[in-house]
Amino acid sequence: MSMVSAPDQRRDTREPRFGFWRRSYAMVVKEFIQLRRDRVSFAMIVMIPVMQLLLFGFAINTTPRNLPTAVLLQEDSDLGRSILKALENTAYFRFTREVHDVAEFDNLLQSGKVLFGVEIPRGFERAVRRGDRPALLVAADATDPVAAGSALSTLGVVVQTALEHDLRTGDPPSLPFEIRAHARYNPAASSRLNIVPGLVGTILTMTMLIFTALSVTREIERGTMESLLSMPIKPVEVMFGKILPYVLVGFIQATLIIGIGVLLFGVPVRGSLMMLALLSTLFITTNLSIGYTFSTIVQNQLQAMQLSMMFFLPSILLSGFMFPFAGMPVWAQYLGEGLPLTHYVRIVRAIMLKGATMENIQYDAIALVVLMLLAMTIAVTRFRRTLD
Amino acid sequence: MTAAPASASGVAIDVKGLTKSFGGREVVHDLSMQVKRGTIYGFLGPNGSGKTTTIRMLCGLLTPDSGEGTCLGYDIRRDADKIKRRVGYMTQRFSLYQDLSVRENLEFVARLYGTRDARGAAREMIKRLGLSGREEQLAGELSGGWKQRLALGACTLPNPKLLLLDEPTAGVDPKARRDFWNEIHALAAEGLTVLVSTHYMDEAERCHEIAYIAYGHLLAHGTVDDVIAKSALSTYTVTGDNLNELAAELTGKPGVDMVAPFGTSLHVSGRDREALEASIAPYRDRPGLHWQHSEPSLEDVFIELMTRSKDNFQ
Ligand SMILES: Nc1ncnc2c1ncn2[C@@H]1O[C@H](COP(=O)(O)OP(=O)(O)O)[C@@H](O)[C@H]1O
Ligand SMILES: [Mg+2]
């Protein structure tokens, strides 16, 4: 066994060049290794977003199946029966009632016994043959906007495909009749398209908060903080070291969630993907900073979890993800403006669904930057450099 | 003392009147100490006497409630950053990352101190520590002795001028303990100052100077011989039969400050030699007992200091 080295007196102990970067880098490498070693956390990076998205996505947006539907047949024609058959084949609709007058039709919808009503008006087939483009009426109970929305939105395509060989109308390949969909009770029916983008933000908020909310308390509880504090590292460097690895993790998660959203749920990305990636990274960093701030405030891991939940719940409720932001009372709107999720939900919806440009969303982007800097400032000032 | 007032270059640690309380309880009281450069300074005292707290104040991990001083010439209140860059602190509890390998821990430390070639520095240290072949083992999976070597390696890696070792040999087997002390001596021989806390008496003998602290009060300091001489303790070593009985009879007699069994003998000590001798006179001729006036051991001195301080401060 050999001796431990004596210090080389010639080597100096002055502040090294690029000390800030070297120390931050040391911290980042260390955090990465620890993350990699922690199999459970590592698995969670993939599991949490996928599970959440699938659960939320399918639970909130159940693909409508066998929705009870009433049929009001005003005439008995081949074309009418073909259309009904096509509708039933989509598996969205299940014809549970056949009614003969409008009052009964309305009554069934009103009482919720059926969610849809399909009306083939009198003289329908003849009007089609004449080329008058008569209206096929489909009424939907849109109090469940998701169920109604997706069924209605696919209606045109479905009927057209189903009837293609029946009708043989040639060019143009359009329906010889008009489908007049009427979403009752909730005309501005929102759809899954609106929910998936919000989910991206919700899931990221939760996972990012938890990753960093435990980071400082973990060092304290494992006893490693004492060593760390006895070395020449500064609070900002500790913070960067603890946040940066998770920016990458968050980015992977965001990619995963948006990827699933696009591939599985058919959500479009109409705006710039680059801008979406950039602002998602900003949002991720903001949440990581907030989580890290929590970990510098609390005494132990339990408190860290509680604080994260305290932050997460209002984020869900007040961000406009669950309830329309404009419909909330003013005080709740003010609270909502202070939550990063509010701004991110707006940003994602705008980019993905509306193809927004930077100018459209700069207010929300700036708000995210401000919240991030605020959190970082609190974290750095709150970080205890001694064991007092 | 003949030593000239310590010039900044001759003294590594120079603190005065350090006091620290936790929740209204004074844990370190008015502690002053000086440690010369290049010496091994033993910091002794029972558990809970404030050793760790004092060491933490020295390296800027705790702020003293009052008192002041310097470490390597830097003010312990204002220059914590500069002190940290030049001091290696080995904590009482193993505080490297258990889920990082030996190599990763050392590289982390090297990078934190801005070492240019962190990998090289870590590799070199692994070789010196005799940890070759274990570099990829997780620190948490090392045995107590190896953990302690790794911890010492980590705190010497950045070439500190001063080492603060907090009970580095607690729970380590005797062979590893001896190796450890050999290393500390080698380091000191090359100019490093080492402050090491311990509660093993035999380790005190291996220090150039010692300080004894109990209940937050620094009770004695100097070389081992100094401390023994200054105690002015008279000690008799008794061997023979029925020592337990004798111990019971002597305890509490005037002049008998301490009665302590040491293996097959009994140490009877007192600060007032005349009173002590008067009290033991009736027992000296008891058949089967052999009495001998002897130098008190360091342990006698400490036990006596502790008993006395207990009466004063508790
Ligand atoms: N952070 C703290 N908060 C409250 N009490 C403390 C703290 N650190 C130490 N103490 C108390 O101070 C006393 C001295 O502790 P310590 O310095 O660790 O002693 P030693 O290292 O000599 O065993 C103990 O009674 C301990 O319980
Ligand atoms: Mg201790």
Side-chain angles (χ1 to χ4, degrees):
Chain A
M1 244 183 252
S2 56
M3 302 289 113
V4 168
S5 75
D8 181 350
Q9 298 293 348
R10 280 162 309 177
R11 277 205 235 173
D12 57 20
T13 25
R14 277 173 301 146
E15 162 78 25
R17 281 211 293 158
F18 309 117
F20 170 81
W21 297 108
R22 286 169 195 262
R23 291 187 293 267
S24 301
Y25 175 66
M27 214 49 206
V28 168
V29 172
K30 180 214 109 186
E31 290 289 322
F32 253 125
I33 298 172
Q34 288 188 305
L35 175 62
R36 202 186 62 208
R37 292 266 149 76
D38 185 353
R39 293 258 161 76
V40 179
S41 284
F42 203 60
M44 288 301 171
I45 290 170
V46 175
M47 289 295 288
I48 291 181
V50 172
M51 245 181 55
Q52 301 256 331
L53 186 63
L54 293 184
L55 280 178
F56 272 99
F58 281 125
I60 297 176
N61 290 291
T62 40
T63 311
R65 296 238 160 239
N66 299 325
L67 302 176
T69 304
V71 182
L72 177 56
L73 271 181
Q74 306 271 36
E75 73 164 30
D76 190 13
S77 61
D78 288 344
L79 182 60
R81 273 192 301 275
S82 287
I83 290 171
L84 291 182
K85 192 107 188 12
L87 286 179
E88 215 169 8
N89 283 343
T90 64
Y92 279 139
F93 309 99
R94 182 163 48 90
F95 297 123
T96 49
R97 301 288 180 105
E98 191 172 329
V99 295
H100 302 287
D101 61 63
V102 179
E104 201 183 349
F105 186 84
D106 287 348
N107 194 21
L108 281 172
L109 267 173
Q110 184 101 53
S111 63
K113 289 196 176 101
V114 297
L115 286 179
F116 286 95
V118 178
E119 180 187 351
I120 310 248
R122 190 161 289 138
F124 181 71
E125 187 169 13
R126 194 149 37 91
V128 169
R129 299 239 179 276
R130 278 210 307 267
D132 284 354
R133 285 184 63 81
L136 173 73
L137 292 174
V138 180
D141 173 358
T143 45
D144 180 352
V146 181
S150 49
L152 286 181
S153 63
T154 52
L155 210 59
V157 186
V158 156
V159 174
Q160 180 168 18
T161 331
L163 294 184
E164 235 154 36
H165 63 274
D166 264 16
L167 288 165
R168 295 255 162 262
T169 45
D171 299 321
S174 62
L175 281 178
F177 54 87
E178 177 191 352
I179 295 177
R180 194 173 294 158
H182 183 106
R184 296 195 186 178
Y185 318 124
N186 181 5
S190 73
S191 77
R192 164 188 297 162
L193 295 191
N194 225 350
I195 287 172
V196 169
L199 265 181
V200 180
T202 311
I203 295 172
L204 282 177
T205 301
M206 191 170 137
T207 54
M208 294 300 105
L209 273 183
I210 288 173
F211 277 134
T212 43
L214 302 179
S215 60
V216 171
T217 45
R218 199 190 297 129
E219 296 254 6
I220 293 172
E221 282 174 24
R222 290 187 186 169
T224 51
M225 195 48 123
E226 192 174 358
S227 248
L228 190 63
L229 289 179
S230 77
M231 296 195 268
I233 189 164
K234 299 189 174 65
V236 180
E237 296 154 0
V238 175
M239 178 175 75
F240 282 176
K242 293 215 168 263
I243 286 180
L244 284 179
Y246 292 104
V247 172
L248 186 69
V249 168
F251 193 81
I252 294 171
Q253 288 193 333
T255 310
L256 212 61
I257 302 169
I258 294 175
I260 293 178
V262 170
L263 296 178
L264 201 64
F265 296 113
V267 181
V269 182
R270 299 203 171 100
S272 148
L273 197 59
M274 189 62 202
M275 197 162 74
L276 182 62
L278 207 75
L279 292 173
S280 295
T281 308
L282 173 63
F283 172 69
I284 287 164
T285 315
T286 305
N287 276 315
L288 289 170
S289 313
I290 290 171
Y292 182 77
T293 306
F294 289 169
S295 84
T296 60
I297 293 173
V298 298
Q299 305 289 330
N300 55 48
Q301 308 218 8
L302 180 66
Q303 288 181 9
M305 292 302 290
Q306 288 170 332
L307 204 54
S308 301
M309 278 300 136
M310 284 261 294
F311 182 79
F312 182 61
L313 284 180
S315 286
I316 287 196
L317 298 174
L318 304 182
S319 61
F321 165 64
M322 280 252 178
F323 312 113
F325 197 80
M328 299 193 313
V330 177
W331 61 266
Q333 291 191 22
Y334 273 112
L335 272 180
E337 293 289 340
L339 300 166
L341 186 57
T342 305
H343 303 287
Y344 186 64
V345 163
R346 287 184 200 149
I347 288 174
V348 184
R349 281 178 179 169
I351 295 180
M352 289 181 83
L353 306 180
K354 300 180 199 159
T357 61
M358 197 64 205
E359 269 140 47
N360 304 134
I361 49 179
Q362 61 184 358
Y363 161 73
D364 293 298
I366 290 169
L368 282 182
V369 173
V370 169
L371 289 172
M372 178 183 75
L373 292 180
L374 188 68
M376 286 183 167
T377 308
I378 295 173
V380 169
T381 42
R382 280 290 315 195
F383 187 83
R384 288 176 291 270
R385 303 196 66 182
T386 64
L387 301 168
D388 285 294
Chain B
M1 282 254 244
T2 53
S7 64
S9 64
V11 172
I13 299 174
D14 186 7
V15 292
K16 271 187 218 66
L18 292 189
T19 299
K20 183 77 187 174
S21 305
F22 290 116
R25 199 167 61 89
E26 206 167 77
V27 165
V28 173
H29 173 81
D30 193 20
L31 184 140
S32 305
M33 70 196 287
Q34 280 202 347
V35 178
K36 297 190 202 78
R37 288 200 187 221
T39 57
I40 301 177
Y41 198 90
F43 201 33
L44 286 98
N47 282 332
S49 55
K51 301 186 293 295
T52 301
T53 306
T54 305
I55 293 175
R56 285 173 173 167
M57 285 192 279
L58 292 178
C59 63
L61 280 181
L62 285 175
T63 321
D65 296 339
S66 64
E68 59 200 30
T70 58
C71 222
L72 297 171
Y74 297 105
D75 189 292
I76 56 168
R77 287 177 185 277
R78 288 195 313 267
D79 300 327
D81 281 335
K82 288 180 182 141
I83 294 175
K84 285 175 185 177
R85 213 169 294 132
R86 292 162 177 85
V87 171
Y89 171 39
M90 180 169 161
T91 54
Q92 181 169 357
R93 183 181 156 196
F94 183 74
S95 63
L96 296 180
Y97 295 96
Q98 313 251 3
D99 51 350
L100 256 55
S101 71
V102 170
R103 178 180 57 78
E104 289 157 351
N105 266 303
L106 292 173
E107 284 177 2
F108 173 63
V109 173
R111 284 191 193 109
L112 269 197
Y113 283 86
T115 310
R116 237 160 259 268
D117 178 17
R119 280 165 194 265
R123 211 179 308 126
E124 211 171 298
M125 183 52 76
I126 287 168
K127 225 185 297 160
R128 284 179 184 161
L129 291 170
L131 275 162
S132 299
R134 292 176 197 267
E135 53 265 69
E136 298 306 324
Q137 206 168 329
L138 296 187
E141 291 166 358
L142 295 174
S143 72
W146 285 115
K147 269 187 186 157
Q148 166 239 47
R149 283 183 86 75
L150 173 61
L152 180 66
C155 71
T156 50
L157 184 71
N159 299 312
K161 304 277 181 285
L162 168 68
L163 281 184
L164 302 173
L165 311 176
D166 196 2
E167 301 201 20
T169 54
V172 167
D173 68 65
K175 167 82 171 67
R177 212 142 73 82
R178 171 168 301 180
D179 290 340
F180 196 81
W181 274 93
N182 287 340
E183 283 166 11
I184 291 177
H185 273 275
L187 290 166
E190 292 173 66
L192 211 74
T193 312
V194 183
L195 177 87
V196 51
S197 79
T198 177
H199 53 234
Y200 293 115
M201 289 301 150
D202 60 315
E203 294 187 344
E205 317 265 354
R206 305 201 61 171
C207 300
H208 298 126
E209 281 189 41
I210 56 169
Y212 185 77
I213 178 176
Y215 307 105
H217 293 250
L218 193 108
L219 299 176
H221 65 93
T223 62
V224 171
D225 291 343
D226 277 349
V227 170
I228 292 176
K230 267 187 282 183
S231 74
L233 203 64
S234 295
T235 299
Y236 283 85
T237 306
V238 196
T239 49
D241 308 321
N242 297 328
L243 291 177
N244 289 346
E245 223 169 87
L246 179 67
E249 284 175 72
L250 284 174
T251 304
K253 286 257 168 20
V256 179
D257 292 320
M258 191 186 59
V259 181
F262 271 77
T264 58
S265 62
L266 195 68
H267 285 200
V268 183
S269 316
R271 262 163 293 139
D272 182 345
R273 182 160 181 175
E274 278 176 26
L276 174 70
E277 286 181 346
S279 286
I280 63 173
Y283 304 94
R284 292 194 67 160
D285 300 324
R286 190 180 270 192
L289 290 183
H290 175 70
W291 290 76
Q292 194 188 354
H293 186 250
S294 59
E295 270 273 283
S297 70
L298 194 56
E299 192 160 343
D300 289 326
V301 174
F302 287 162
I303 293 173
E304 194 271 332
L305 283 172
M306 195 175 98
T307 346
R308 192 144 44 98
S309 63
K310 188 169 190 170
D311 302 338
N312 292 348
F313 309 129
Q314 284 294 77

